[in-house]
């Protein structure tokens, strides 16, 4: 498994981060499946751009690449937990030897010759380009995509690789192996390239013009073209250790779409000329866009600094959000909003809440010792069957490069476990001596289900998956991603631990309007003579201090409202996905609810009547267009409805139908 080696002429950007996390996840999935994986990464440190960047910074090229490779790139990959086996630098002696050995072999075979050439040269891409590859910019100037400057017309004598010789073979190989380049859209792009002659490839530069590179073994006056140098780095680690270079036939290469041609045309023909097998798969990913859908750029002010991102957010949250949101075949928006949404809804509400509920109940009802399961019912048998099927489903989707769908399959299992707990109501089972065996079965099923989920998600959130198992009392033990059930021993001490995925603190908002709304939105469940709902205390526009009553005021004096007034209230069905008591507030519960695709936080004064665990999975009616209010520093985004009897007891308003969250109440 290889990720593209990064060009060491500047600091990493979010595209580098996504590619390395993606490749790392693929490698981890394969290891979890029991396969032998060698994961190679590195930095590309030669070429004209390096020379220019070093000169601009007032340092030598070697000093520049040493700093960027070791501090900027390797330092970031360490923080992100990238599990590579080899990190290759193209300035290393072992790589230089490998490149010169392959060059000599191809030269001796007669596939490299000396000639003079004139053409358009892209300094950014460090290769000759064709008119067809240029794109007209807003200023009317045609450039190679991604370049700041237009290509230069150059004429010089170089050594050329007879790439054209291998075009028929490459075309036939792609046609016979439809899965070789994925997604399929990129394979089609390469087939389109091969409809025209690909010509020879210039593989050297005069040392007098570009001194920073690997000298050709038969002509020290020329240095190797950066792509011929860089692509061979994928095999340098295994070749330098004396392994058979034919391992090239087992490689999965992961690259960005902007370097498709070198990897889909240059590299295969180079392998063929060197007598090495074609790689097994070329995985091509698209770009990460700004959250507003625009291309990122420093000039636009929307670029994400990877170092700042890692400093601000847990690494596993970054990994999860990127892999869950991005798809290989299309550019994907990403930013803090996307990250927070996935953190709150998937990681905190679904997975983290499932763990905290399960651990809490085992500690509360069984003294922290996991009970043995009793006779399973139909629901438990369904969960076990789903658990055994999950590894195969995840690996199938990974093999199809549908990583986001593989993650969703694992999270779907987690969500079903949450539903199972809500349906089984262990807090109710705990109250009766007759249902203790049933309670044991529910607690064991939840704990073992969490273990299964942790393995299915480990490639994406490796640190948190292990922390989850530690909280279940399983220590640092690892498990294969394979069908299994019942691997958590009964009697295991369940120690628990800190919140697995703490939610970010809401941004401060000290406006007087918010404080006023917060006070008005706080439910007051003392005894009243008449029945009413909790919406009676909510502020409306007509009661805003200092605002004159509207024309409808006379009708409201007798307690009546018009149909237009009622139409302004947006009532929706919401599903409670997480619930916890608000610290130092006897009456308040903090609920996380799903409203269709949206997740909200609601604070409600119903703690006296409802246990937090009993509310998870329940459908409630939410006032969805109520102005947000702050209660105990928590922003409440709506209000759930409840009826109150003469004694002040509350009963949540709901419906007998299992309606989808987000359904409008009329």
């Amino acid at each position: 498994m290889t990720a593209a080696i990064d060009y060491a002429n500047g600091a990493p950007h979010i595209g580098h981060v996504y590619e390395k996390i993606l490749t790392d996840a693929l490698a981890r999935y394969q290891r979890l499946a029991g396969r032998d994986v060698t994961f190679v990464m590195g930095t590309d440190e030669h070429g004209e751009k390096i020379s220019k960047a070093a000169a601009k910074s007032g340092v030598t090229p070697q000093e520049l690449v040493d700093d960027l490779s070791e501090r900027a790139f390797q330092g970031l990959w360490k923080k992100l937990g990238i599990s590579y086996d080899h990190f290759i630098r193209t300035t290393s002696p072992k790589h230089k030897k490998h490149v010169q050995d392959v060059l000599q072999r191809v030269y001796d075979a007669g596939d490299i010759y000396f000639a003079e050439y004139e053409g358009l040269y892209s300094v950014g891409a460090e290769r000759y380009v064709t008119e067809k590859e240029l794109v007209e910019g807003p200023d009317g100037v045609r450039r190679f995509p991604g370049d700041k400057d237009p290509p230069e017309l150059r004429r010089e004598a170089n050594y050329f690789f007879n790439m054209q010789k291998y075009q028929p073979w490459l075309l036939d190989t792609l046609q016979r192996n439809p899965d070789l380049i994925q997604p399929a859209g990129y394979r089609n792009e390469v087939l389109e390239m091969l409809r025209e002659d690909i010509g020879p490839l210039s593989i050297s530069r005069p040392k007098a013009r570009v001194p920073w590179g690997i000298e050709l073994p038969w002509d020290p006056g020329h240095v190797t073209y950066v792509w011929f140098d860089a692509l061979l780095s994928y095999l340098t680690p295994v070749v330098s250790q004396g392994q058979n270079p034919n391992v090239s036939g087992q490689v999965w290469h992961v690259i960005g779409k902007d370097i498709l041609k070198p990897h889909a045309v240059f590299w295969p023909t180079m392998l063929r000329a060197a007598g090495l097998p074609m790689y097994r798969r070329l995985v091509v990913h698209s770009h990460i866009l700004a959250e507003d859908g625009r291309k990122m750029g420093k000039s636009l002010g929307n670029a994400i600094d990877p170092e700042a991102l890692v400093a601000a957010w847990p690494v596993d949250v970054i990994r999860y959000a990127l892999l869950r949101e991005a798809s290989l075949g299309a550019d994907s928006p990403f930013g803090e909003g996307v990250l927070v949404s996935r953190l709150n809804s998937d990681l905190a509400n679904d997975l983290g809440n499932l763990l905290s509920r399960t651990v809490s109940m085992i500690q509360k009802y069984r003294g922290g010792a996991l009970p043995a399961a009793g006779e399973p019912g139909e629901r438990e048998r369904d969960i076990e069957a789903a658990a055994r099927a999950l590894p195969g489903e995840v690996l199938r989707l990974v093999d199809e490069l549908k990583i986001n769908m593989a993650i969703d399959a694992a999270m779907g299992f987690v969500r079903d476990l949450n539903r199972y707990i809500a349906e089984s109501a262990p807090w109710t089972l705990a109250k009766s001596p007759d249902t203790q065996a049933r309670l044991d079965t529910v607690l064991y099923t939840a704990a073992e289900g969490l273990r299964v989920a942790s393995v299915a998600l480990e490639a994406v959130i490796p640190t948190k998956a292990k922390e989850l198992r530690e909280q279940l009392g399983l220590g640092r033990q690892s498990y294969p991603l394979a069908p299994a059930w019942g691997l958590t021993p009964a009697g295991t001490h369940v120690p628990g631990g800190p919140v697995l995925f703490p939610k970010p603190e809401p941004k401060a908002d000290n406006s007087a309007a918010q404080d006023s709304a917060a006070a008005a939105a706080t439910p007051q469940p003392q005894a009243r003579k008449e029945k009413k709902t909790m919406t009676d205390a909510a502020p409306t526009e007509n009661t805003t201090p200092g605002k004159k009553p509207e024309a409808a005021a006379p009708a409201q004096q007798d307690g009546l409202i018009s149909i237009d007034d009622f139409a302004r209230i947006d009532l929706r069905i919401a599903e409670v996905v997480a619930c916890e008591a608000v610290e130092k507030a006897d009456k308040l519960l903090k609920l996380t609810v799903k409203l269709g695709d949206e997740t909200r936080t609601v604070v409600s004064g119903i703690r006296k009547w409802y246990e937090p665990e009993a509310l998870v999975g329940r459908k409630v009616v939410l006032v969805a267009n109520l102005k947000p209010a702050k209660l105990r520093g928590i922003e409440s985004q709506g209000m759930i409805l409840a009826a109150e009897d003469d004694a002040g007891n509350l009963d949540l308003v709901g419906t007998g139908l299992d309606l989808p969250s987000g359904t409008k109440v009329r």
Side-chain angles (χ1 to χ4, degrees):
M1 187 79 64
T2 78
I5 62 172
D6 301 309
Y7 203 58
N9 69 328
H13 54 67
I14 193 65
H16 293 112
V17 170
Y18 170 59
E19 179 175 285
K20 272 52 184 184
I21 287 174
L22 170 64
T23 316
D24 181 69
L26 289 170
R28 287 176 183 271
Y29 276 122
Q30 304 297 345
R31 293 187 190 116
L32 286 166
R35 296 164 188 156
D36 186 14
V37 176
T38 300
F39 178 10
V40 176
M41 289 171 44
T43 40
D44 181 3
E45 302 178 9
H46 287 132
E48 188 173 351
K49 284 192 293 185
I50 299 286
S51 297
K52 290 186 174 182
K56 186 176 180 181
S57 299
V59 297
T60 67
Q62 190 66 57
E63 288 172 333
L64 176 72
V65 297
D66 284 348
D67 174 62
L68 286 169
S69 178
E70 295 168 12
R71 174 189 56 81
F73 285 98
Q74 294 182 63
L76 181 60
W77 306 148
K78 183 177 180 180
K79 293 174 185 175
L80 285 167
I82 306 301
S83 61
Y84 56 82
D85 298 292
H86 300 283
F87 192 94
I88 186 68
R89 296 182 56 185
T90 59
T91 53
S92 67
K94 62 183 178 182
H95 178 69
K96 177 180 178 180
K97 181 180 185 306
H98 179 220
V99 170
Q100 290 182 327
D101 286 349
V102 174
L103 280 167
Q104 189 66 57
R105 191 187 321 159
V106 178
Y107 181 74
D108 291 344
D111 282 336
I112 294 176
Y113 60 91
F114 191 74
E116 195 172 70
Y117 182 80
E118 181 178 83
L120 295 172
Y121 188 80
S122 162
V123 176
E126 299 221 33
R127 68 176 176 87
Y128 286 98
V129 296
T130 65
E131 281 283 353
K132 189 177 179 180
E133 292 179 281
L134 305 183
V135 177
E136 186 173 315
D139 57 0
V141 177
R142 291 174 60 79
R143 299 177 178 83
F144 185 74
D147 283 2
K148 293 180 181 179
D149 301 313
E152 304 171 359
L153 183 64
R154 287 187 178 179
R155 182 182 183 86
E156 61 185 16
N158 294 327
Y159 286 91
F160 288 82
F161 165 53
N162 188 10
M163 190 165 62
Q164 179 72 44
K165 171 183 174 181
Y166 298 101
Q167 182 169 356
W169 164 82
L170 179 58
L171 181 60
D172 179 64
T173 300
L174 285 176
Q175 289 173 336
R176 286 188 293 103
N177 297 277
D179 294 334
L180 186 64
I181 299 176
Q182 293 183 319
Y186 297 117
R187 172 179 176 268
N188 294 336
E189 281 189 36
V190 179
L191 289 173
E192 189 65 28
M193 294 176 195
L194 296 177
R195 292 184 186 279
E196 299 179 4
D197 288 347
I198 57 175
L201 177 66
S202 172
I203 63 153
S204 76
R205 303 291 181 264
K207 192 172 181 179
R209 181 173 67 79
V210 184
W212 186 241
I214 297 175
E215 294 176 353
L216 298 185
W218 63 87
D219 187 348
H222 280 251
V223 296
T224 309
Y225 166 51
V226 69
W227 274 112
F228 207 103
D229 167 1
L231 291 164
L232 286 165
S233 71
Y234 296 137
L235 299 180
T236 295
V238 294
V239 170
S240 64
Q241 291 181 346
Q243 297 180 38
N244 192 330
N246 285 339
V247 73
S248 62
Q250 297 300 316
V251 176
W252 284 27
H253 293 300
V254 181
I255 65 163
K257 66 179 183 180
D258 51 337
I259 51 174
L260 176 61
K261 186 173 183 178
H263 285 82
V265 179
F266 301 175
W267 184 221
T269 54
M270 286 167 57
L271 288 169
R272 185 70 172 176
L276 297 174
M278 179 68 154
Y279 49 74
R280 184 175 178 183
R281 181 174 287 187
L282 183 65
V283 179
V284 188
H285 66 81
S286 293
H287 292 161
I288 300 298
L289 304 176
E291 204 159 1
D292 59 8
R294 294 186 299 166
K295 186 176 180 180
M296 288 189 192
K298 291 182 180 179
S299 61
L300 298 174
N302 61 359
I304 296 175
D305 177 3
E307 290 287 351
L309 185 70
V310 171
W313 298 98
V315 166
D316 280 13
V317 174
I318 297 170
R319 292 172 62 101
Y320 182 92
L322 271 170
L323 293 172
R324 180 63 184 83
E325 288 293 322
S327 60
L328 297 187
D331 294 345
S332 304
F334 180 76
E336 185 178 274
V338 171
L339 188 148
V340 170
S341 176
R342 287 297 175 188
L343 167 57
N344 286 341
S345 64
D346 296 12
L347 298 175
N349 293 345
D350 291 339
L351 183 59
N353 186 59
L354 175 62
L355 176 65
S356 63
R357 296 167 77 195
T358 302
V359 167
S360 175
M361 290 187 292
I362 293 171
Q363 292 176 338
K364 182 177 181 180
Y365 303 135
R366 293 296 179 261
L370 181 66
E375 185 65 27
E378 182 179 354
R379 190 71 169 92
E380 287 78 26
R381 286 192 288 270
D382 287 345
I383 289 174
E384 179 179 343
R388 291 182 181 277
L390 183 60
E393 175 70 1
V394 167
L395 290 174
R396 179 185 67 79
L397 291 167
V398 169
D399 194 58
E400 295 173 0
L401 299 173
K402 299 173 181 175
I403 311 301
N404 53 352
M405 294 176 67
I407 295 170
D408 194 53
M411 291 305 298
F413 180 71
V414 169
R415 290 189 288 270
D416 189 51
L417 286 174
N418 274 312
R419 284 192 293 271
Y420 167 70
I421 290 178
E423 295 163 2
S424 305
W427 44 89
T428 301
L429 298 175
K431 296 176 182 178
S432 172
D434 297 333
T435 52
Q436 295 306 298
R438 174 69 184 150
L439 174 61
D440 289 345
T441 300
V442 172
L443 294 178
Y444 185 87
T445 300
E448 175 64 1
L450 271 164
R451 184 201 64 79
V452 170
S454 75
V455 180
L457 290 165
E458 187 172 333
V460 180
I461 51 170
T463 301
K464 292 296 183 181
K466 291 172 184 174
E467 288 179 12
L468 184 156
R469 294 199 291 269
E470 286 178 346
Q471 291 201 29
L472 290 175
L474 298 172
R476 304 297 290 180
Q477 184 173 345
S478 59
Y479 299 87
L481 186 54
W485 183 260
L487 300 186
T488 305
T492 297
H493 173 65
V494 178
V499 175
L500 195 64
F501 290 102
K503 291 186 179 181
E505 291 293 327
K507 293 182 179 179
D509 186 346
N510 299 317
S511 68
Q514 286 285 339
D515 292 341
S516 174
T522 305
Q524 303 294 330
Q526 65 266 25
R528 307 273 173 85
K529 290 184 179 179
E530 69 281 359
K531 290 186 179 181
K532 59 183 180 179
T533 67
M534 292 168 66
T535 54
D536 292 340
T540 67
E541 290 187 14
N542 287 338
T543 60
T544 303
K547 186 170 181 178
K548 292 182 180 181
E550 297 179 357
Q556 293 174 335
Q557 290 174 356
D558 59 5
L560 301 176
I561 64 172
S562 70
I563 189 67
D564 292 335
D565 292 326
F566 176 74
R568 292 171 56 205
I569 304 173
D570 185 14
L571 301 177
R572 301 274 177 172
I573 297 293
E575 180 181 1
V576 181
V577 295
C579 184
E580 60 187 79
V582 176
E583 290 185 6
K584 299 179 181 179
D586 295 338
K587 300 176 182 178
L588 301 182
L589 291 178
K590 176 185 172 186
L591 300 95
T592 303
V593 300
K594 277 191 176 179
L595 206 64
D597 294 331
E598 181 186 1
T599 301
R600 293 193 186 186
T601 298
V602 177
V603 179
S604 181
I606 57 174
R607 184 172 177 180
K608 180 179 176 181
W609 294 274
Y610 293 95
E611 289 288 332
E613 297 91 346
L615 290 174
V616 177
R618 182 161 178 168
K619 300 287 181 67
V620 296
V621 177
L622 181 78
V623 183
N625 62 340
L626 189 67
K627 187 175 182 180
K630 272 215 171 172
L631 299 169
R632 294 299 179 100
I634 303 170
E635 185 177 72
S636 182
Q637 303 163 310
M639 180 178 287
I640 60 173
L641 300 187
E644 186 178 8
D645 67 11
D646 292 340
N649 296 311
L650 298 184
D651 184 35
L652 291 178
V653 174
T655 117
L657 299 177
D658 187 18
L659 298 171
S661 67
T663 300
K664 188 171 181 62
V665 179
R666 304 181 185 279

